[in-house]
Amino acid sequence: DNPFGEPVSWMWCDGDEIVAHTVRVAVPVLIGGQRSTGVIAADSATDSRYRNRGLHAGLREWVDVWDNPHWRR
């Protein structure tokens, strides 16, 4: 159990098959002397048949937008 928050996972699917995956884990951070919660990438994988197609970069870009509170709706 992580007292800073639950891990969040994103998957890229081709039909019913998961072909790429990444997960972020909440961690404590100190920014400008203020305690807060941040996230780190904890695990990522892409099926070898789907590599070199930009799936991991696409997931990472989407996750970075999702993690940015200025972009949340």
Side-chain angles (χ1 to χ4, degrees), residues 6-25:
E6 294 295 318
V8 181
S9 178
W10 292 268
M11 293 165 273
W12 195 298
C13 297
D14 185 2
D16 292 336
E17 185 176 11
I18 298 169
V19 298
H21 166 267
T22 190
V23 66
R24 299 277 173 108
V25 176

Side-chain angles (χ1 to χ4, degrees), residues 36-60:
S36 189
T37 301
V39 295
I40 59 170
D43 192 19
S44 295
T46 300
D47 185 308
S48 61
R49 298 170 298 158
Y50 289 82
R51 291 188 182 145
N52 300 313
R53 299 184 190 189
L55 300 183
H56 181 260
L59 279 174
R60 188 178 64 238

